[in-house]
Amino acid sequence: AQSVSQHNHHVILSEAASLELGCNYSYGGTVNLFWYVQYPGQHLQLLLKYFSGDPLVKGIKGFEAEFIKSKFSFNLRKPSVQWSDTAEYFCAVSSNSGYSTLTFGKGTMLLVSP
Amino acid sequence: GAVVSQHPSWVICKSGTSVKIECRSLDFQATTMFWYRQFPKQSLMLMATSNEGSKATYEQGVEKDKFLINHASLTLSTLTVTSAHPEDSSFYICSANDGQGRNGYTFGSGTRLTVV
């Protein structure tokens, strides 16, 4: 069975600080990797995804993530956060098949102070 | 882009009553839909996978008779919480996949259920 671990439950940053949220997964086969964001009062939205190819994936709103297979990691980064990035971020993994379910990490709550 | 509509967004019901939550894919056909439950300060937990035209597959520990799932068409799946109790109060979220496997998952906006 697959599992996902997010290292930080809460992160507090000032605006313009750089962000890196850790995500490690465990699964024996080929995986698809996702980062989702949930803004306060809103539903989950897809930030970015990795299926294959370039391990550095760029998503919306200036986010990017790097898949490091040897470390089973898919960390999310942003060079300079904004107050509007305050949200909860979920890393998720699915096996590489069309009907695979998603397994989520427990989420990281990011609070950006102005 | 793909849109999933979930209704209602919040509901309050009395203990012992049943509540139906709808999940609709608005601009694509969802051969597979997933129902999740989110406990406070925890991640989404998969409850069941519903496939159009067949019985849902429930995760271990999820009561099939309590959480009835129906996926009668390619655009609609429903979750009915039967004989609801206060411990069923939670945030329920559906997501849909168009079956292509490479477009990620689209989530509904969730339903906040409070059982009093």
Side-chain angles (χ1 to χ4, degrees), chain A residues 1-113:
Chain A
Q2 56 216 29
S3 66
V4 178
S5 174
Q6 290 183 241
H7 311 310
N8 309 98
H9 293 301
H10 294 91
V11 172
I12 302 174
L13 295 173
S14 298
E15 275 193 316
S18 64
L19 170 71
E20 181 160 2
L21 300 182
C23 173
N24 286 91
Y25 69 93
S26 66
Y27 182 68
T30 305
V31 294
N32 301 322
L33 296 157
F34 308 84
W35 274 98
Y36 288 89
V37 60
Q38 188 171 23
Y39 297 102
Q42 297 187 28
H43 62 276
L44 282 170
Q45 300 173 44
L46 181 66
L47 268 181
L48 49 79
K49 62 191 178 189
Y50 171 82
F51 288 134
S52 63
D54 189 343
L56 183 61
V57 180
K58 294 191 184 298
I60 60 172
K61 306 186 180 186
F63 287 91
E64 64 178 33
E66 185 175 12
F67 170 50
I68 303 180
K69 189 175 180 180
S70 60
K71 296 184 178 180
F72 296 91
S73 70
F74 190 56
N75 292 354
L76 181 70
R77 300 194 292 249
K78 185 170 184 178
S80 175
V81 295
Q82 301 172 315
W83 175 79
S84 57
D85 293 323
T86 294
E88 188 151 19
Y89 292 80
F90 292 91
C91 180
V93 62
S94 71
S95 65
N96 193 16
S97 72
Y99 297 94
S100 173
T101 59
L102 275 175
T103 301
F104 284 86
K106 293 196 172 185
T108 298
M109 185 65 214
L110 170 65
L111 178 61
V112 180
S113 58

Side-chain angles (χ1 to χ4, degrees), chain A residues 38 42-44 88 90 104-107, chain B residues 35-47 88-93 109-113:
Chain A
Q38 188 171 23
Q42 297 187 28
H43 62 276
L44 282 170
E88 188 151 19
F90 292 91
F104 284 86
K106 293 196 172 185
Chain B
W35 287 96
Y36 296 86
R37 182 174 179 177
Q38 186 178 27
F39 293 98
K41 299 186 179 182
Q42 295 190 32
S43 178
L44 292 173
M45 299 295 295
L46 179 66
M47 297 175 67
D88 298 325
S89 298
S90 190
F91 191 59
Y92 294 86
I93 302 176
S109 55
T111 299
R112 173 72 62 192
L113 170 63

